[in-house]
Amino acid sequence: MIYTSYFAKIKELEKNNIVPISICSKAPDWYKGLQYKKLAHKYSFFMEWKKTHDNEYYIKHFKAEVLKLLNVENVIKEINRLLLNNHVQGDIALICYEKPSDFCHRHLVADWLNQNGFECKEWKRI
């Protein structure tokens, strides 16, 4: 299963045998886990969004400059290869900084995965 979550939940994810994978352009310095930067936002439109908080602008640019350039099957294969190369297996959580209720690119990634046949949802402790 593919989940999304955020850095503050890493210990809970790991307790539940879910492998966190950062999809940020820059993970926190303390984070030493797996990273998949192809799903990160681009600096230029992120900085513009930080000034304006124009979510529609961000969504438009994220889709055009990130998601449209990726093939979903290749992304899944590369993430699986990342797990294999690091000798880990199991469910994953694509993580970044924002809380679930905040605007965040991981929600766009989850929608993209779901629209392309790969189930992805926000992780919640059961």
Side-chain angles (χ1 to χ4, degrees), residues 39-66:
L39 290 173
H41 59 254
K42 303 297 182 209
Y43 182 80
S44 59
F45 69 80
F46 177 69
M47 293 312 290
E48 180 64 25
W49 176 82
K50 284 194 69 108
K51 286 187 231 170
T52 66
H53 292 282
D54 182 345
N55 293 352
E56 293 306 314
Y57 170 88
Y58 184 99
I59 291 167
K60 176 184 170 189
H61 285 269
F62 188 79
K63 286 180 176 179
E65 296 177 38
V66 179

Short mmCIF file of all heavy atoms in Angstrom, two decimals, residues 39-66:
data_model
loop_
_atom_site.label_atom_id
_atom_site.label_comp_id
_atom_site.label_asym_id
_atom_site.label_seq_id
_atom_site.Cartn_x
_atom_site.Cartn_y
_atom_site.Cartn_z
N LEU A 39 9.48 13.52 -7.24
CA LEU A 39 8.14 13.98 -6.90
C LEU A 39 8.15 15.28 -6.09
O LEU A 39 7.12 15.71 -5.59
CB LEU A 39 7.38 12.89 -6.13
CG LEU A 39 6.99 11.67 -6.96
CD1 LEU A 39 6.39 10.59 -6.07
CD2 LEU A 39 6.02 12.06 -8.07
N ALA A 40 9.30 15.91 -6.00
CA ALA A 40 9.41 17.18 -5.25
C ALA A 40 9.00 18.34 -6.14
O ALA A 40 9.06 18.27 -7.37
CB ALA A 40 10.85 17.37 -4.78
N HIS A 41 8.57 19.44 -5.51
CA HIS A 41 8.25 20.65 -6.27
C HIS A 41 9.54 21.29 -6.79
O HIS A 41 10.63 20.98 -6.32
CB HIS A 41 7.48 21.65 -5.40
CG HIS A 41 8.25 22.07 -4.18
ND1 HIS A 41 7.95 21.62 -2.93
CD2 HIS A 41 9.33 22.87 -4.04
CE1 HIS A 41 8.80 22.13 -2.07
NE2 HIS A 41 9.64 22.90 -2.72
N LYS A 42 9.38 22.17 -7.74
CA LYS A 42 10.50 22.96 -8.26
C LYS A 42 10.63 24.24 -7.42
O LYS A 42 9.63 24.84 -7.01
CB LYS A 42 10.29 23.32 -9.73
CG LYS A 42 10.10 22.12 -10.63
CD LYS A 42 11.32 21.24 -10.65
CE LYS A 42 11.12 20.08 -11.59
NZ LYS A 42 11.85 18.91 -11.23
N TYR A 43 11.85 24.64 -7.19
CA TYR A 43 12.14 25.80 -6.35
C TYR A 43 11.42 27.05 -6.84
O TYR A 43 10.85 27.80 -6.04
CB TYR A 43 13.65 26.02 -6.31
CG TYR A 43 14.08 27.15 -5.42
CD1 TYR A 43 14.17 26.99 -4.04
CD2 TYR A 43 14.41 28.40 -5.96
CE1 TYR A 43 14.56 28.02 -3.22
CE2 TYR A 43 14.80 29.44 -5.14
CZ TYR A 43 14.87 29.25 -3.78
OH TYR A 43 15.26 30.29 -2.96
N SER A 44 11.43 27.30 -8.15
CA SER A 44 10.88 28.55 -8.68
C SER A 44 9.41 28.73 -8.36
O SER A 44 9.01 29.77 -7.83
CB SER A 44 11.10 28.61 -10.20
OG SER A 44 10.46 27.50 -10.81
N PHE A 45 8.58 27.74 -8.64
CA PHE A 45 7.16 27.95 -8.37
C PHE A 45 6.83 27.80 -6.89
O PHE A 45 5.87 28.40 -6.41
CB PHE A 45 6.24 27.11 -9.28
CG PHE A 45 6.25 25.62 -9.05
CD1 PHE A 45 5.52 25.04 -8.03
CD2 PHE A 45 6.95 24.80 -9.92
CE1 PHE A 45 5.50 23.67 -7.85
CE2 PHE A 45 6.92 23.43 -9.75
CZ PHE A 45 6.20 22.86 -8.70
N PHE A 46 7.66 27.06 -6.17
CA PHE A 46 7.44 26.96 -4.72
C PHE A 46 7.68 28.32 -4.06
O PHE A 46 6.90 28.75 -3.21
CB PHE A 46 8.34 25.91 -4.10
CG PHE A 46 8.21 25.81 -2.61
CD1 PHE A 46 7.05 25.31 -2.03
CD2 PHE A 46 9.24 26.22 -1.78
CE1 PHE A 46 6.92 25.22 -0.65
CE2 PHE A 46 9.11 26.14 -0.39
CZ PHE A 46 7.96 25.64 0.16
N MET A 47 8.74 29.01 -4.45
CA MET A 47 9.05 30.32 -3.86
C MET A 47 7.96 31.35 -4.22
O MET A 47 7.60 32.17 -3.38
CB MET A 47 10.43 30.80 -4.30
CG MET A 47 11.57 29.94 -3.74
SD MET A 47 11.46 29.60 -1.97
CE MET A 47 11.81 31.20 -1.28
N GLU A 48 7.44 31.27 -5.42
CA GLU A 48 6.34 32.16 -5.80
C GLU A 48 5.12 31.86 -4.94
O GLU A 48 4.44 32.77 -4.46
CB GLU A 48 6.02 32.00 -7.29
CG GLU A 48 4.91 32.89 -7.77
CD GLU A 48 5.22 34.38 -7.68
OE1 GLU A 48 6.40 34.78 -7.68
OE2 GLU A 48 4.25 35.16 -7.59
N TRP A 49 4.82 30.58 -4.74
CA TRP A 49 3.68 30.20 -3.91
C TRP A 49 3.87 30.69 -2.46
O TRP A 49 2.92 31.14 -1.83
CB TRP A 49 3.48 28.68 -3.93
CG TRP A 49 2.39 28.24 -3.01
CD1 TRP A 49 1.05 28.25 -3.27
CD2 TRP A 49 2.54 27.79 -1.66
NE1 TRP A 49 0.34 27.81 -2.17
CE2 TRP A 49 1.25 27.52 -1.16
CE3 TRP A 49 3.63 27.57 -0.83
CZ2 TRP A 49 1.02 27.05 0.13
CZ3 TRP A 49 3.41 27.09 0.45
CH2 TRP A 49 2.11 26.85 0.92
N LYS A 50 5.08 30.62 -1.94
CA LYS A 50 5.34 31.09 -0.58
C LYS A 50 5.00 32.58 -0.43
O LYS A 50 4.56 33.00 0.63
CB LYS A 50 6.79 30.81 -0.16
CG LYS A 50 7.00 29.35 0.19
CD LYS A 50 8.30 29.11 0.91
CE LYS A 50 8.32 29.65 2.27
NZ LYS A 50 8.25 28.77 3.39
N LYS A 51 5.20 33.34 -1.50
CA LYS A 51 4.88 34.77 -1.47
C LYS A 51 3.38 35.01 -1.57
O LYS A 51 2.85 35.87 -0.88
CB LYS A 51 5.56 35.49 -2.64
CG LYS A 51 7.04 35.68 -2.50
CD LYS A 51 7.53 36.55 -3.64
CE LYS A 51 8.69 35.88 -4.32
NZ LYS A 51 9.09 36.52 -5.56
N THR A 52 2.71 34.25 -2.43
CA THR A 52 1.32 34.55 -2.76
C THR A 52 0.29 33.60 -2.14
O THR A 52 -0.87 33.94 -2.02
CB THR A 52 1.12 34.48 -4.28
OG1 THR A 52 1.33 33.13 -4.71
CG2 THR A 52 2.08 35.41 -5.01
N HIS A 53 0.73 32.39 -1.83
CA HIS A 53 -0.16 31.31 -1.35
C HIS A 53 -1.30 31.08 -2.34
O HIS A 53 -2.42 30.73 -1.94
CB HIS A 53 -0.67 31.58 0.06
CG HIS A 53 0.43 31.49 1.06
ND1 HIS A 53 0.93 30.29 1.52
CD2 HIS A 53 1.17 32.46 1.66
CE1 HIS A 53 1.91 30.51 2.36
NE2 HIS A 53 2.08 31.82 2.47
N ASP A 54 -1.00 31.23 -3.61
CA ASP A 54 -1.95 30.97 -4.69
C ASP A 54 -1.90 29.48 -5.02
O ASP A 54 -1.05 29.03 -5.79
CB ASP A 54 -1.60 31.83 -5.91
CG ASP A 54 -2.56 31.66 -7.06
OD1 ASP A 54 -3.36 30.69 -7.07
OD2 ASP A 54 -2.50 32.49 -7.99
N ASN A 55 -2.80 28.72 -4.42
CA ASN A 55 -2.80 27.27 -4.59
C ASN A 55 -3.03 26.85 -6.04
O ASN A 55 -2.43 25.87 -6.50
CB ASN A 55 -3.84 26.63 -3.68
CG ASN A 55 -3.50 26.77 -2.21
OD1 ASN A 55 -2.41 27.21 -1.85
ND2 ASN A 55 -4.44 26.42 -1.36
N GLU A 56 -3.87 27.57 -6.75
CA GLU A 56 -4.13 27.23 -8.16
C GLU A 56 -2.86 27.37 -9.00
O GLU A 56 -2.59 26.55 -9.87
CB GLU A 56 -5.27 28.07 -8.73
CG GLU A 56 -6.62 27.76 -8.10
CD GLU A 56 -7.00 26.28 -8.17
OE1 GLU A 56 -6.84 25.65 -9.24
OE2 GLU A 56 -7.45 25.73 -7.13
N TYR A 57 -2.11 28.44 -8.74
CA TYR A 57 -0.82 28.63 -9.42
C TYR A 57 0.09 27.45 -9.15
O TYR A 57 0.70 26.89 -10.06
CB TYR A 57 -0.19 29.94 -8.93
CG TYR A 57 1.24 30.14 -9.36
CD1 TYR A 57 1.54 30.75 -10.57
CD2 TYR A 57 2.30 29.70 -8.55
CE1 TYR A 57 2.85 30.92 -10.98
CE2 TYR A 57 3.61 29.87 -8.96
CZ TYR A 57 3.88 30.47 -10.17
OH TYR A 57 5.18 30.63 -10.57
N TYR A 58 0.20 27.07 -7.88
CA TYR A 58 1.07 25.96 -7.49
C TYR A 58 0.63 24.67 -8.18
O TYR A 58 1.45 23.95 -8.74
CB TYR A 58 1.04 25.79 -5.97
CG TYR A 58 1.99 24.73 -5.47
CD1 TYR A 58 3.23 25.08 -4.95
CD2 TYR A 58 1.65 23.38 -5.50
CE1 TYR A 58 4.09 24.11 -4.49
CE2 TYR A 58 2.50 22.41 -5.05
CZ TYR A 58 3.73 22.77 -4.54
OH TYR A 58 4.60 21.81 -4.09
N ILE A 59 -0.66 24.37 -8.13
CA ILE A 59 -1.18 23.14 -8.72
C ILE A 59 -0.86 23.09 -10.21
O ILE A 59 -0.38 22.07 -10.73
CB ILE A 59 -2.69 23.01 -8.46
CG1 ILE A 59 -2.96 22.76 -6.98
CG2 ILE A 59 -3.30 21.90 -9.32
CD1 ILE A 59 -4.42 22.94 -6.56
N LYS A 60 -1.12 24.20 -10.90
CA LYS A 60 -0.85 24.28 -12.35
C LYS A 60 0.61 23.98 -12.64
O LYS A 60 0.93 23.17 -13.52
CB LYS A 60 -1.23 25.67 -12.86
CG LYS A 60 -0.91 25.91 -14.31
CD LYS A 60 -1.23 27.34 -14.70
CE LYS A 60 -0.68 27.63 -16.08
NZ LYS A 60 -0.77 29.05 -16.41
N HIS A 61 1.50 24.60 -11.90
CA HIS A 61 2.94 24.41 -12.14
C HIS A 61 3.42 23.04 -11.69
O HIS A 61 4.26 22.43 -12.36
CB HIS A 61 3.74 25.54 -11.49
CG HIS A 61 3.63 26.81 -12.27
ND1 HIS A 61 4.51 27.15 -13.26
CD2 HIS A 61 2.71 27.81 -12.22
CE1 HIS A 61 4.15 28.29 -13.80
NE2 HIS A 61 3.06 28.71 -13.18
N PHE A 62 2.91 22.54 -10.59
CA PHE A 62 3.32 21.21 -10.14
C PHE A 62 2.92 20.15 -11.16
O PHE A 62 3.72 19.27 -11.51
CB PHE A 62 2.72 20.88 -8.76
CG PHE A 62 3.27 19.61 -8.18
CD1 PHE A 62 4.52 19.60 -7.58
CD2 PHE A 62 2.55 18.43 -8.24
CE1 PHE A 62 5.05 18.42 -7.07
CE2 PHE A 62 3.07 17.24 -7.72
CZ PHE A 62 4.32 17.25 -7.13
N LYS A 63 1.72 20.26 -11.67
CA LYS A 63 1.27 19.28 -12.67
C LYS A 63 2.09 19.40 -13.96
O LYS A 63 2.50 18.39 -14.52
CB LYS A 63 -0.22 19.47 -12.97
CG LYS A 63 -1.11 18.97 -11.85
CD LYS A 63 -2.58 19.16 -12.17
CE LYS A 63 -3.46 18.57 -11.09
NZ LYS A 63 -4.90 18.78 -11.40
N ALA A 64 2.34 20.63 -14.42
CA ALA A 64 3.05 20.83 -15.68
C ALA A 64 4.55 20.56 -15.58
O ALA A 64 5.15 19.99 -16.49
CB ALA A 64 2.83 22.26 -16.17
N GLU A 65 5.17 20.93 -14.46
CA GLU A 65 6.62 20.86 -14.35
C GLU A 65 7.12 19.61 -13.62
O GLU A 65 8.32 19.33 -13.64
CB GLU A 65 7.14 22.11 -13.64
CG GLU A 65 6.87 23.37 -14.44
CD GLU A 65 7.32 24.63 -13.72
OE1 GLU A 65 8.37 24.60 -13.05
OE2 GLU A 65 6.60 25.65 -13.82
N VAL A 66 6.22 18.88 -12.99
CA VAL A 66 6.63 17.68 -12.27
C VAL A 66 5.86 16.46 -12.79
O VAL A 66 6.43 15.60 -13.45
CB VAL A 66 6.46 17.84 -10.74
CG1 VAL A 66 6.86 16.55 -10.01
CG2 VAL A 66 7.28 19.01 -10.22
#
